[in-house]
Amino acid sequence: MSNSNHSSPGTSNKILIIPSASDFHIHLRQDDLMDMVVPRIAEGGVSLCYVMPNLKPPITSTEQALAYKDKLEKLESDVTFLMSLYLNPDLTPEEIRKAKAAGIVGVKSYPRGVTTNSDSGIESYKVYYPVFKVMEEVGMILNLHGEIPSDIEQDICVMNAEEKFLIHLKELHADFPELKIVLEHATTKAAVEMVKSLGDTVGCTITIHHLQLIVDDWAGQCHNFCKPVAKFPHDRQALRDVILEGHPRFFLGTDSAPHPAHHKECAQSCAGVFTTPLALPYLATIFDSFNALHMLKSFACENGKKFYNIKEEKCREIKLIKENWLVPNSYSFSNTQAGIVVPFWAGKTLTWKIDSN
């Protein structure tokens, strides 16, 4: 399958044909919210996703991961779900070997308190070196939420927490050069440059919303608020530039993270942007805006699977057509008035849509 323009650029009947996308960072939640989100994955043009483990309680064992995977597969059989464990003090080398044998793909590290459901996160990496050593041996992925906690005395806040984290990424790679490490949801030029400077075992996900947002777009706008926060215009440009460059170690991880609207529209807004139902239409619209449609297939459909060494059986052909249409204002997940999620760019115009015919 290949990109195919059946008419001149800019015309209303422009067509783009690509394989279904792979989302290497997604939050699928629990209970009623999970029941709404999971069937929306395929609707957004995605057929494979790497599932984050920060549930309540977090997924810390092989048995928990497999039980969660079973729930997901019962909700959506046309999607491949790759599972992960939550890095925590009780995780042992023996559990890593058990997880690998059961098909668990990786382990996610959350610095304590920096994002949703991260209260059980890590404070120091050194104590996990025996775990990382076995992960390196058996071929599991280490996924890093690349921020350190805010610290007033050290002049650290949400705007520089990612850049301050990067020395840890460099050290981990130096200490475990054969361990595949993914820096998740990069938001800064510094992160892009660091990943590019390291070896082939270091990859990086980029979200949909960070390709569009800058700090002005989330300050005071709760439905654009996520962590890590969007940064400066030059940082967004660095994300776009590395995609235009076609760098093979950068790939899609939406970090789509739905919250009930009343948990976003409040004094202390939850961090998270919901993009799952419209993943490819969002991407095509944004890529088109910076003349990157020719890189959509590699970024969203190929690079991640190559880095993870995943062969997918459920991939299908997606036809995108150039047509203006509006993002829904909300998605319902229960019969109560509070049971709605507001998606990214709610009520705004997208210029590409998936042809459902």
Side-chain angles (χ1 to χ4, degrees), residues 298-315:
S298 57
F299 174 76
C301 314
E302 297 176 340
N303 291 354
K305 285 190 287 192
K306 289 178 181 177
F307 185 85
Y308 275 74
N309 194 27
I310 297 292
K311 297 189 184 300
E312 184 190 1
E313 297 178 356
K314 298 180 181 180
C315 188

Side-chain angles (χ1 to χ4, degrees), residues 9 70 90 124 170 231 288 357:
D70 183 62
D90 294 327
S124 170
K170 187 174 182 179
K231 306 298 194 304
D288 203 4
N357 296 327

Side-chain angles (χ1 to χ4, degrees), residues 13-189:
N13 61 341
K14 188 174 180 182
I15 297 173
L16 186 63
I17 298 174
I18 60 173
S20 50
S22 299
D23 182 352
F24 279 91
H25 187 129
I26 193 170
H27 298 272
L28 298 178
R29 303 307 195 208
Q30 294 162 277
D31 304 322
D32 288 348
L33 198 49
M34 175 185 71
D35 292 345
M36 181 276 287
V37 173
V38 172
R40 303 282 183 183
I41 299 169
E43 186 178 312
V46 171
S47 58
L48 180 148
C49 54
Y50 185 44
V51 184
M52 295 296 104
N54 57 329
L55 305 183
K56 290 184 176 181
I59 296 177
T60 57
S61 71
T62 302
E63 288 80 8
Q64 286 176 295
L66 294 178
Y68 188 38
K69 182 179 183 181
D70 183 62
K71 291 181 180 180
L72 300 176
E73 290 177 336
K74 287 178 179 176
L75 286 169
E76 178 54 79
S77 61
D78 291 332
V79 171
T80 298
F81 297 98
L82 307 178
M83 308 308 292
S84 62
L85 300 181
Y86 192 116
L87 185 64
N88 72 96
D90 294 327
L91 187 61
T92 64
E94 292 74 24
E95 186 66 25
I96 291 297
R97 295 186 188 280
K98 181 178 177 182
K100 176 65 176 181
I104 310 302
V105 171
V107 175
K108 178 69 184 293
S109 162
Y110 293 90
R112 190 179 303 277
V114 301
T115 191
T116 303
N117 297 344
S118 64
D119 292 340
S120 301
I122 62 98
E123 292 180 342
S124 170
Y125 283 116
K126 292 291 184 181
V127 297
Y128 295 105
Y129 270 31
V131 169
F132 297 161
K133 182 62 177 176
V134 175
M135 289 175 62
E136 186 178 46
E137 290 174 5
V138 302
M140 287 186 75
I141 308 288
L142 176 61
N143 305 92
L144 301 177
H145 182 116
E147 293 183 289
I148 60 174
S150 295
D151 186 328
I152 294 174
E153 294 184 359
Q154 298 296 320
D155 196 34
I156 298 169
C157 67
V158 295
M159 291 302 291
N160 63 1
E162 179 176 281
E163 188 167 357
K164 296 289 187 180
F165 174 87
L166 296 175
I167 185 63
H168 300 292
L169 171 63
K170 187 174 182 179
E171 290 174 352
L172 284 169
H173 177 56
D175 290 342
F176 300 96
E178 300 304 315
L179 174 64
K180 282 195 171 182
I181 301 173
V182 178
L183 179 66
E184 299 292 341
H185 40 52
T187 64
T188 59
K189 181 178 181 181

Side-chain angles (χ1 to χ4, degrees), residues 180-353:
K180 282 195 171 182
I181 301 173
V182 178
L183 179 66
E184 299 292 341
H185 40 52
T187 64
T188 59
K189 181 178 181 181
V192 170
E193 291 177 345
M194 176 62 77
V195 171
K196 290 174 67 174
S197 74
L198 300 178
D200 289 343
T201 54
V202 179
C204 182
T205 57
I206 299 175
T207 75
I208 293 167
H209 51 280
H210 287 128
L211 288 171
Q212 184 63 31
L213 302 177
I214 59 171
V215 58
D216 290 4
D217 297 312
W218 62 261
Q221 300 183 57
C222 62
H223 292 294
N224 288 340
F225 173 60
C226 59
K227 286 188 176 180
V229 299
K231 306 298 194 304
F232 297 100
H234 72 267
D235 292 308
R236 181 180 67 181
Q237 190 59 48
L239 301 179
R240 293 179 171 189
D241 286 346
V242 79
I243 288 172
L244 284 167
E245 176 187 328
H247 198 292
R249 289 188 281 116
F250 290 79
F251 44 89
L252 175 64
T254 66
D255 193 20
S256 181
H259 292 281
H262 67 283
H263 288 173
K264 295 286 291 179
E265 300 165 355
C266 58
Q268 291 187 321
S269 180
C270 289
V273 174
F274 183 45
T275 54
T276 295
L278 306 173
L280 277 181
Y282 284 131
L283 271 178
T285 297
I286 295 170
F287 272 48
D288 203 4
S289 74
F290 64 97
N291 299 315
L293 276 178
H294 61 294
M295 303 309 301
L296 180 59
K297 179 182 175 184
S298 57
F299 174 76
C301 314
E302 297 176 340
N303 291 354
K305 285 190 287 192
K306 289 178 181 177
F307 185 85
Y308 275 74
N309 194 27
I310 297 292
K311 297 189 184 300
E312 184 190 1
E313 297 178 356
K314 298 180 181 180
C315 188
R316 64 188 191 278
E317 184 177 274
I318 300 292
K319 180 191 287 186
L320 290 154
I321 58 175
K322 183 136 188 180
E323 179 180 316
N324 289 352
W325 63 297
L326 298 180
V327 175
N329 288 318
S330 65
Y331 291 88
S332 298
F333 66 90
S334 78
N335 295 325
T336 67
Q337 187 175 358
I340 64 169
V341 176
V342 177
F344 181 53
W345 269 358
K348 294 189 177 182
T349 300
L350 296 181
T351 58
W352 288 86
K353 70 183 301 183

